[in-house]
Amino acid sequence: MSGPTFEEACALTAGAAMWSTLAVPEAGIPSFTMSDGPLGIASGKVDERDIALLSPCSTLLGATWDRDLNRRIGALVGSEAVARGVDAVLAPNLNLARSPLAGRAFEYFSEDPVLTGVLGAEWVLGLQATGTGSVAKHLVCNDSETARDEVDVRLDERTLREVYLLPFQYAVEAGCVGLLAAYNKVNGAWCSEQGHVLTDVVKREWGFDGLIMSDWFGTHSSEGTINAGLDLEMPGPARFMGEKLAAAVSAGAVDPARIEDAASRVASVARRVTADKAPPMPAAEAEALLVEAAAAGFTLLRNEGQMLPLAPGSVKRLAVIGPNAWAPCFQGGTFAKISISPDAPTPVEALRRTYGTSCEILFEPGVDPQPNLPNMSVAPAFDIGDGCGRGMTLEYFAAPGCTGDVLSRETRDTNSLVWFVGVHEQARFGEPGSVRASGRYTATRGGTHVLHLGSTGAARILVDGEEVLRAGGEIPASDVMGVLKRGDSDCIGIDLAEGQEVTIAIEFSWTGGRVQGLWYGLRGPGSAEEMLQAAVDAARGADAVFLIVGETSDSSVESKDRPDTLLPAEQLRLIDAVTAANPRTAVIVNVGHAFDSSWDHKAAALLSVWYPGEGFARALADVLSGAREPGGRLPVTIAADEADYPAFALQPAADGTLTYSKGVLPGYRGLLAAGRKARHPFGSGMGYARFAWSDADVEDGVPQLTVTNLSDRAGSDVVQVYRDAPESALVGFVRVELAAGESRRVAVPLEPRALQRWSDESQGWQPVAERLSLRLARHCEDEGLCVELEIAALA
Ligand code: BGC
């Protein structure tokens, strides 16, 4: 079979559609399909009813420090891809949590490049073992969201190589088929046109033979992009590349050999990822793995008086308090959000199952569990014969204003609707149209009810046919993510009597745009003081309290960073009041990034559960009751004060630059260099089992030590190895599982790259020293056990 013609080769450099590439059957080149990740298979779906498995967030996976588990989670996502006909996944996200404010911090494994790189590579290997391709993202320095489309990150070459590119180098060494170039600029050039990174480093030095694609709509020119080394413009159809490159070649601005190279990379990835696939993971295995993984990343940071584990039967009354006990935050709110099974249990349900037979459970949310967008619990306005008794009836119209013939009807039981390009037959965005959502609401309590409304186009709410609120606005065509900033909604109060039934209709019109969204809610009467008092009363009357606080699923979004690391003020008030009422309180924090924990001395126990995916509730009940260990160690620093984070504010300077001024000292490295103690240092955390370490030395260039489990239960420990010169850095780690009383000699593999530094003078890598002191430690501030390493002997 002959290769593609020149025109076909040009065409191959742009996608065919939103999630697919072009096929050239005459040349034996198939199209391949992609989906967003990393927490599961997120796209290619029609709407929110298209359910997929949701894995724990990458920060939780980072907290496991467990190579094998990360590989198995990669395999689970790969298996989901296979089952859904997806050939490649846009994951893992290998950017770094350099600031706790980063909107997508939960998608990052860690603030440390070695931990990120090692675990990210395992995830890649697991995913690709299923025959699915991994497209690691976002190359490079897309470590925050503020002005992400135009920010120009400035950093020196050493920092670029040793810190921010390092995780991608691991992924390339693991054989990822693709890399996704970030939206931002690095040192003055768009990442999609960053020739030094794409071509000099990644393709030439690292020998990457896969494919580099743009982030979605992240291209800015034709020849600048292809010449810099980008191979594929996504999504399709072409904006700058594809067949548009033919003219640039004719004009002599692009070497035809570059087009051939790009097309052959697209073709070989397409052939590879559409070839043999592994059989899907059995459902029961996947379900068990999601629970195991969640628990393995839960990080126990405080456990006074061994409050945890709390064995069922050891208490008579248990208070389960907090908004996240009822409305857990399973995941972040990015474009890659997964629709999870409505049957996924909530923490309070799982705790009732585990403890409810042996004790009385008192549950109080304490604060509003849906502070941004409350549910609107309605019955459909029309019976359309689909058997749905809950949700809104949606009616689609061909023109704005909900006038003319109804094109079709459906029932949707959600308060947050998103439509992607062309996926709904009646909602072809790019063309004007409208939808009316209507349902019947019955007030269970008399008083003021607050209606919420937000949308990406013009919208209004009608109650019994009367307009009560107008809201929404066009999103700029470039702001694909604007639709995701749900929670920004307008409100209006209406008075309803107890038992009163009203018909609520929402009309939404659009004129264009790539993605559209509509979201609405209704908050019934009830005061914050009543909720708080009920929680305090429950805490006072209980033998122990599990207080579950944290974020909502719209707290972490793309294109937006956070203003601070604090829990919401009303939750801090709840923590104060509940711990004062009952000091035997374990606070469980359901947040996807480093958070301020300056209040934690008031609680007996502190457990960080990150965004744990759909295994959350069962894993939590298992860990609190002692059926499983909390396995996590911090993959990010929790500083004593926000001012201590080496990188914090993320607003670019007036000239659009964001300078990585702390260089090779992000996260804990910067705190150690500045002599600042963290509130909870990087690497810290504990299980229930206790371990002793002894007899550290180095054999054949590998640090070793004896680890003994001193307790009467099986458990796991994480041995971390740090160097302290020329600056402190993690250079190796291993997780070890030991049976009760077991003692074992453990070798800790070192990461060769972490023993080298980039030299601007020689433009190459050099050993950091000839001889190095290493600390085998439990966290970055731990003195640990010291050994000496001859680096020269390793060569
Ligand atoms: C995000 C990527 C994502 C892509 C496709 C972009 O806006 O930055 O992480 O993979 O959209 O959904």
Side-chain angles (χ1 to χ4, degrees):
M1 193 177 286
S2 58
T5 63
F6 172 70
E7 286 70 26
E8 287 166 345
C10 285
L12 279 167
T13 65
M18 190 67 170
W19 302 108
S20 61
T21 59
L22 210 70
V24 184
E26 305 71 37
I29 303 170
S31 158
F32 71 97
T33 57
M34 289 171 255
S35 160
D36 213 353
L39 309 187
I41 301 305
S43 17
K45 59 189 181 190
V46 176
D47 57 47
E48 75 285 345
R49 293 165 294 187
D50 204 349
I51 286 161
L53 291 181
L54 172 70
S55 82
C57 75
S58 311
T59 311
L60 185 149
L61 295 178
T64 68
W65 296 63
D66 188 330
R67 292 172 168 84
D68 173 63
L69 190 71
N70 274 272
R71 194 181 282 223
R72 288 190 286 138
I73 289 290
L76 180 147
V77 176
S79 154
E80 280 279 278
V82 173
R84 297 169 158 264
V86 168
D87 301 314
V89 183
L90 308 180
N93 187 337
L94 298 178
N95 296 122
L96 295 182
R98 62 182 283 280
S99 163
L101 301 184
R104 286 175 95 164
F106 70 95
E107 275 192 11
Y108 311 151
F109 288 87
S110 169
E111 66 191 26
D112 181 82
V114 167
L115 185 59
T116 301
V118 169
L119 298 183
E122 293 292 340
W123 194 98
V124 169
L125 289 167
L127 181 99
Q128 295 204 154
T130 67
T132 308
S134 159
V135 181
K137 64 190 186 183
H138 309 81
L139 183 72
V140 60
C141 296
N142 183 186
D143 310 296
S144 50
E145 296 297 292
T146 307
R148 70 172 180 172
D149 291 329
E150 62 256 354
V151 62
D152 181 4
V153 172
R154 297 294 171 113
L155 75 175
D156 59 69
E157 188 68 15
R158 184 180 164 215
T159 305
L160 178 65
R161 303 278 190 145
E162 289 182 27
V163 182
Y164 297 95
L165 279 177
L166 189 62
F168 292 96
Q169 194 166 1
Y170 273 95
V172 165
E173 284 162 9
C176 67
V177 301
L179 292 169
L180 182 136
Y183 287 131
N184 50 288
K185 294 178 180 170
V186 165
N187 292 336
W190 300 108
C191 284
S192 54
E193 302 185 15
Q194 230 303 351
H196 172 59
V197 169
L198 305 189
T199 298
D200 301 346
V201 179
V202 172
K203 289 186 173 171
R204 295 211 180 109
E205 276 182 38
W206 299 354
F208 179 60
D209 60 3
L211 137 75
I212 308 185
M213 66 181 73
S214 69
D215 199 345
W216 265 226
F217 306 100
T219 45
H220 303 272
S221 75
S222 299
E223 57 200 64
T225 310
I226 186 86
N227 286 342
L230 199 91
D231 304 305
L232 175 67
E233 178 182 43
M234 283 304 294
R239 296 195 304 153
F240 295 104
M241 293 174 61
E243 59 276 358
K244 303 198 174 173
L245 292 176
V249 173
S250 308
V254 176
D255 182 348
R258 176 73 267 274
I259 307 275
E260 275 164 36
D261 171 52
S264 90
R265 287 170 184 263
V266 174
S268 70
V269 167
R271 291 190 188 108
R272 177 170 165 189
V273 301
T274 52
D276 298 341
K277 310 273 175 147
M281 190 181 279
E285 188 185 325
E287 198 185 316
L289 176 56
L290 290 172
V291 177
E292 177 195 343
F298 287 178
T299 311
L300 183 61
L301 295 168
R302 183 178 165 84
N303 195 16
E304 291 303 292
Q306 309 284 300
M307 177 183 168
L308 298 176
L310 190 72
S314 66
V315 287
K316 288 205 173 64
R317 296 179 102 194
L318 177 66
V320 177
I321 297 177
N324 292 54
W326 182 82
C329 185
F330 292 109
Q331 61 181 323
T334 64
F335 208 33
K337 196 163 183 170
I338 311 281
S339 301
I340 73 166
S341 162
D343 302 330
T346 62
V348 66
E349 285 164 357
L351 290 168
R352 276 191 210 286
R353 233 168 276 156
T354 299
Y355 289 91
T357 49
S358 58
C359 76
E360 184 188 350
I361 308 251
L362 311 166
F363 166 64
E364 290 296 337
V367 300
D368 188 340
Q370 297 173 316
N372 299 332
L373 189 65
N375 266 337
M376 173 137 72
S377 185
V378 290
F382 303 103
D383 180 357
I384 60 169
D386 59 358
C388 294
R390 283 187 344 197
M392 288 277 200
T393 306
L394 264 60
E395 298 169 286
Y396 291 91
F397 301 85
C402 298
T403 51
D405 293 341
V406 174
L407 298 174
S408 76
R409 285 197 173 120
E410 62 173 339
T411 310
R412 299 277 283 268
D413 186 16
T414 174
N415 62 341
S416 191
L417 294 150
V418 182
W419 294 272
F420 300 101
V421 182
V423 296
H424 195 283
E425 221 184 311
Q426 281 74 32
R428 265 189 232 290
F429 292 106
E431 290 167 26
S434 57
V435 65
R436 179 190 295 127
S438 43
R440 282 179 289 109
Y441 175 77
T442 308
T444 50
R445 209 171 148 175
T448 303
H449 291 63
V450 179
L451 288 160
H452 291 245
L453 178 63
S455 66
T456 52
R460 61 183 191 144
I461 302 188
L462 302 108
V463 176
D464 285 339
E466 292 276 318
E467 178 181 305
V468 295
L469 178 65
R470 269 180 187 271
E474 293 295 311
I475 46 164
S478 62
D479 188 3
V480 186
M481 293 301 135
V483 69
L484 291 160
K485 293 181 195 160
R486 283 166 289 193
D488 297 347
S489 53
D490 292 309
C491 307
I492 185 82
I494 54 166
D495 285 325
L496 297 178
E498 186 178 332
Q500 186 177 347
E501 186 185 290
V502 287
T503 297
I504 298 176
I506 292 149
E507 294 184 349
F508 167 48
S509 303
W510 59 86
T511 50
R514 288 196 285 256
V515 183
Q516 300 287 359
L518 172 66
W519 51 101
Y520 40 78
L522 186 152
R523 195 182 308 286
S527 85
E529 292 311 317
E530 282 172 33
M531 291 184 107
L532 180 65
Q533 192 54 49
V536 168
D537 291 345
R540 203 170 278 139
D543 302 318
V545 181
F546 294 150
L547 174 53
I548 310 176
V549 294
E551 298 185 311
T552 54
S553 65
D554 50 10
S555 304
S556 290
V557 293
E558 285 182 40
S559 70
K560 206 171 175 182
D561 294 315
R562 269 178 293 279
D564 57 46
T565 63
L566 305 178
L567 291 175
E570 62 278 13
Q571 294 191 18
L572 293 173
R573 196 162 77 115
L574 179 66
I575 292 171
D576 272 352
V578 167
T579 53
N582 191 337
R584 202 167 174 219
T585 294
V587 182
I588 294 111
V589 181
N590 183 194
V591 160
H593 49 87
F595 56 92
D596 176 84
S597 75
S598 50
W599 43 264
D600 63 18
H601 56 282
K602 297 173 193 163
L606 172 64
L607 181 73
S608 173
V609 296
W610 316 106
Y611 295 162
E614 66 182 82
F616 184 9
R618 280 176 53 201
L620 185 65
D622 284 357
V623 163
L624 295 176
S625 63
R628 287 176 197 268
E629 290 267 304
R633 304 291 185 270
L634 283 183
V636 289
T637 300
I638 295 186
D641 192 295
E642 287 185 342
D644 293 345
Y645 288 105
F648 193 67
L650 295 169
Q651 185 63 43
D655 63 359
T657 59
L658 181 66
T659 303
Y660 284 11
S661 56
K662 288 296 185 323
V664 294
L665 299 175
Y668 69 92
R669 296 179 179 185
L671 272 95
L672 289 175
R676 294 241 181 272
K677 291 249 176 271
R679 184 154 188 102
H680 297 289
F682 175 82
S684 61
M686 54 191 149
Y688 298 142
R690 289 282 161 272
F691 296 88
W693 293 1
S694 61
D695 304 318
D697 63 17
V698 175
E699 281 169 38
D700 298 331
V702 181
Q704 324 254 329
L705 79 173
T706 300
V707 181
T708 306
N709 183 350
L710 301 174
S711 44
D712 57 3
R713 57 178 297 148
S716 62
D717 208 1
V718 178
V719 184
Q720 305 161 32
V721 185
Y722 295 90
R723 62 168 160 87
D724 288 308
E727 58 279 310
S728 299
L730 179 75
V731 299
F733 65 90
V734 73
R735 168 163 218 113
V736 40
E737 312 259 342
L738 293 182
E742 186 185 349
S743 188
R744 197 188 306 156
R745 196 84 188 134
V746 172
V748 194
L750 295 178
E751 296 303 317
R753 201 69 68 185
L755 302 173
Q756 298 181 331
R757 53 169 295 168
W758 176 259
S759 157
D760 283 332
E761 275 162 32
S762 70
Q763 287 290 299
W765 293 92
Q766 291 183 344
V768 287
E770 285 181 7
R771 190 181 168 78
L772 204 56
S773 277
L774 297 178
R775 270 187 295 135
L776 278 60
R778 289 205 159 84
H779 56 78
C780 71
E781 290 178 11
D782 180 18
E783 284 180 8
L785 304 173
C786 286
V787 295
E788 295 289 315
L789 180 77
E790 298 287 344
I791 295 194
L794 295 180

